[in-house]
Structure formats: C-alpha cells, structure tokens
Amino acid sequence: MASGWCTIESDPGVFSELITELGVKGVQVHELWSLDKESMAEVGPVHGLIFLFRWRGEKDDRATVTPGPGVFFASQMIPNACATQAILSVLMNCPSISLGEEMTAFKAFTKDFPPDVKGLAISNSDLLRRVHNSFARAEPTVSEERRASKEEDEVYHFISYVPVDGKLYELDGLKAGPICLGDAGPGEAWLDAVTPAIQARIEQYS
C-alpha cells in the first residue's frame, strides 16, 4: 500500500483546483448549505453530491451491493485520501464529464478491477498522489488512524451520492460495496430522491 498521502483542506475551491489539476474539464465544486431545489438550481447541472460528516465508527446494517459494470466503486486503502476518493467517485461515475487523457486512461485501466484492487490502483497512482499532496495543509499531518485512536479527537469522512444507470447510490470506500438507495429517476430527479437520505444523515450526526 502506498504511503505519503497528506490531509488536504476541506474547501470547495481546493477541490475544484484539484479536479482541474487532474486534467478534468468543466467541473467545479460548490458548497451547499441547503438541499432545497433553489440552492441546487443555482449551481447548475449537479453531477453528484459529496457529504462530509463526523465519523464515529458506528455499525451500519444497510446492505451493500456488488458494483455493476457501470458503477465505479473503490475501497479506501489510504487513511488521508477520503476527500479525493469521494471526488473520484463522482467523476468516474458521470459519463458526461470530460475526464481528460490521464483520468480517462485510469478509468479504462481499472474498469474490471474489484473494489479492493481499484483502491490499490488509486493509492499507487503517482498522478493522484502528487495532485492530492499539492493541496496539503500547512500544519503537520496526523494520519486519521492515529487520530481515531484518541477518543477526544474528531475524525471526518467524505461519502458520495451519484446516479448511475437509473439507480441512486451511496458510495463510501470504507464499506464493502455501494449502497443502492433506489431508483434515481429521469434527469435530475435523483436530487429529490437523495434529499431524504442526506437529511437522515444530518439528523443522525447533529
């Protein structure tokens, strides 16, 4: 497993620059303070949603599914890479996004890999690690594993919500597979379907 992945800032501007540095074109990250339709409409077409929450290590009994051929799902193999991995979960699952030469090649290369090998491919990618680390925080890095060992510390985790092939998925690299939340509906109808799931998460961690 590769080492040397730093903690990066949880900032939409940083995430947008990271995406650009990967060679992806025409994609920006916006911070949402509300899940209402007006807020969604203001940011234009929504390819996916990333949810940041305080990780508590609580048991989740929801069933996971085996990723279908159209679903990019990777196990998280690197403690500090969950933000970049959540971004990849959106980018790799939206066919309309122009990924650029290197990320298109990466997607094709990992297409038939199982989730754990996809995760290893991410951890071993020089491009992903270099771009990720270029946005490292200024303060000394402490791995999430060490932080998790201290009960008083707060550890945060990113997960993604994306529509793929007519279904709505929650993608969390710490789980065994995607969680299917039901039908996504046509166009951006999936945003209506995902709202209750995210709202439940907010209430759970508030």
Side-chain angles (χ1 to χ4, degrees):
M1 181 173 64
S3 59
W5 289 67
C6 302
T7 302
I8 65 175
E9 293 290 346
S10 174
D11 179 84
V14 167
F15 294 163
S16 294
E17 288 188 50
L18 184 150
I19 290 169
T20 300
E21 289 296 315
L22 290 176
V24 179
K25 303 182 186 304
V27 176
Q28 288 189 324
V29 178
H30 296 269
E31 188 168 19
L32 290 173
W33 293 97
S34 173
L35 296 174
D36 60 78
K37 291 184 178 180
E38 290 75 14
S39 298
M40 298 287 188
E42 287 178 0
V43 301
V46 180
H47 302 297
L49 294 173
I50 295 174
F51 179 60
L52 171 64
F53 65 99
R54 182 180 177 184
W55 187 78
R56 298 175 180 171
E58 297 173 340
K59 186 177 180 181
D60 187 346
D61 293 325
R62 293 178 299 165
T64 59
V65 299
T66 300
V71 179
F72 181 95
F73 177 81
S75 301
Q76 184 180 324
M77 311 298 283
I78 317 150
N80 292 328
C82 65
T84 295
Q85 186 147 337
I87 291 169
L88 288 175
S89 291
V90 175
L91 297 177
M92 295 294 185
N93 282 300
C94 185
S96 64
I97 291 178
S98 177
L99 292 175
E101 182 178 353
E102 292 186 274
M103 294 313 299
T104 296
F106 180 84
K107 182 178 180 179
F109 173 67
T110 60
K111 182 177 184 296
D112 297 322
F113 289 175
D116 58 337
V117 182
K118 275 190 174 76
L120 287 172
I122 291 173
S123 70
N124 291 323
S125 168
D126 290 335
L127 171 66
L128 290 172
R129 183 169 60 251
R130 174 178 55 79
V131 172
H132 172 97
N133 285 345
S134 70
F135 297 98
R137 289 178 178 174
E139 69 265 28
T141 301
V142 179
S143 77
E144 290 178 5
E145 288 176 341
R146 289 180 56 194
R147 293 180 65 197
S149 68
K150 300 180 181 181
E151 186 175 339
E152 68 274 12
D153 281 351
E154 294 184 349
V155 178
Y156 290 87
H157 184 56
F158 295 84
I159 58 177
S160 303
Y161 294 90
V162 291
V164 183
D165 294 336
K167 296 293 183 182
L168 175 61
Y169 293 97
E170 178 184 305
L171 303 180
D172 180 350
L174 296 181
K175 298 191 183 307
I179 295 176
C180 182
L181 301 176
D183 293 333
E188 293 197 346
W190 71 274
L191 293 171
D192 294 327
V194 77
T195 299
I198 296 180
Q199 192 61 50
R201 280 278 191 163
I202 294 172
E203 292 174 1
Q204 178 183 357
Y205 294 103
S206 61

